[in-house]
Amino acid sequence: MQKNNFTPLTKEHLRRFISIEGCDGAGKTRLAHNIKTLLLQKQLDAFITHEPGGTPLACRIRQLFKHKAPSDTSSAERLTQEADALLVSAARAQHVRYAIIPALLSAKIVVSDRFVDSTRVYQGYVGQLPTEFIETLISHSTYGCLPSLTFLLDASPKFLCKRRKERQESSTASQTSSVERFDDAALSFHQKIREGYLALEQKDTQRFCIIDAHKPADDIAQQVMEVMQKHLAI
């Protein structure tokens, strides 16, 4: 078995690891970039990343994860829930080992657009994979590197459905594609995702901070920065 040859992370390292979670269309990516801008204004070094992805190899794995059905066969083969969870975990192992840990060790504030809670919700709560299976994958793919603060962008599924449609129309008008894997899923699916996140928050209220995602992006960023300043003592 290959040994991990990186310096063990301390509580101080992990205090600077922050994740952003929420349903599709909640504004996670925009918030991450707004946080980076605000941190740079304070002359603080930030590393903004995302999942699945974050490294070249992890991004290649992400392409498999986003796969719906093969275009070159007549079969309707789709990824199983188990395959979903394993692919995400494989990408995460690369992401943590080669991007997140080095950034934390170099004293950066790390902000990840999605992390382990997405796996708990999408493959666990909604996909109904056993909790023990999910937590085992998380344990082995994170090397103990877990966020100390998680912002949960929460909004009604109907509101986010409207936002996702506007995003699709905008991408069509600009001849670019921003349609994500779950954008066209039924409203009931997104309601279940929201339920899963709120259930996680109830189990770990100390780590989670719920943010009203109906608010304007600038207001959300300011609220998040206020919480981060207290959490990081900056």
Side-chain angles (χ1 to χ4, degrees):
M1 181 180 293
Q2 182 180 0
K3 294 183 179 180
N4 301 326
N5 57 356
F6 50 79
T7 304
L9 296 174
T10 65
K11 288 184 178 180
E12 181 58 29
H13 289 124
L14 296 177
R15 190 163 65 93
R16 288 184 275 101
F17 183 19
I18 296 164
S19 62
I20 303 173
E21 296 283 357
C23 298
D24 297 88
K28 298 178 295 298
T29 301
R30 183 170 183 178
L31 173 59
H33 288 289
N34 285 344
I35 288 174
K36 182 175 183 178
T37 298
L38 293 173
L39 288 174
L40 288 175
Q41 290 174 1
K42 293 180 176 294
Q43 298 183 326
L44 295 169
D45 199 358
F47 174 64
I48 307 301
T49 188
H50 66 277
E51 287 208 344
T55 73
L57 182 54
C59 286
R60 290 170 63 185
I61 297 173
R62 174 188 174 92
Q63 294 307 310
L64 292 174
F65 172 77
K66 293 177 69 176
H67 162 97
K68 290 184 178 180
S71 58
D72 58 347
T73 69
S74 59
S75 68
E77 179 185 3
R78 294 180 182 274
L79 288 172
T80 65
Q81 291 294 338
E82 290 82 1
D84 257 2
L86 290 165
L87 283 172
V88 171
S89 298
R92 178 170 299 130
Q94 295 297 122
H95 184 208
V96 172
R97 176 65 182 85
Y98 292 103
I100 293 178
I101 288 177
L104 290 172
L105 290 175
S106 62
K108 289 182 173 66
I109 297 171
V110 176
V111 179
S112 183
D113 173 358
R114 293 198 183 280
F115 200 59
V116 294
D117 295 306
S118 286
T119 302
R120 289 176 172 131
V121 171
Y122 283 80
Q123 285 78 39
Y125 189 85
V126 177
Q128 297 185 323
L129 290 178
T131 300
E132 182 180 359
F133 176 70
I134 293 294
E135 294 303 323
T136 297
L137 290 180
I138 288 174
S139 176
H140 286 286
S141 63
T142 60
Y143 308 96
C145 181
L146 297 168
S148 60
L149 174 63
T150 298
F151 291 104
L152 173 56
L153 296 181
D154 181 56
S156 71
K158 288 185 178 180
F159 172 82
L160 296 181
C161 180
K162 180 181 178 182
R163 178 182 285 178
R164 288 191 298 272
K165 287 182 179 179
E166 291 173 350
R167 181 174 65 187
Q168 289 183 24
E169 291 171 358
S170 176
S171 66
T172 300
S174 61
Q175 297 184 336
T176 61
S177 177
S178 64
V179 180
E180 295 296 330
R181 178 182 177 187
F182 300 113
D183 278 1
D184 297 326
L187 185 62
S188 58
F189 172 85
H190 293 286
Q191 290 172 333
K192 191 71 173 177
I193 293 295
R194 186 189 191 189
E195 289 175 8
Y197 274 121
L198 292 176
L200 283 182
E201 188 275 336
Q202 287 298 306
K203 293 180 180 178
D204 196 355
T205 56
Q206 188 172 2
R207 174 169 63 90
F208 278 92
C209 177
I210 296 183
I211 303 293
D212 184 355
H214 300 94
K215 295 180 179 179
D218 289 343
D219 292 349
I220 290 174
Q222 288 297 333
Q223 182 183 354
V224 164
M225 278 301 299
E226 290 176 5
V227 175
M228 285 182 59
Q229 285 178 308
K230 293 179 180 179
H231 177 75
L232 298 172
I234 55 177

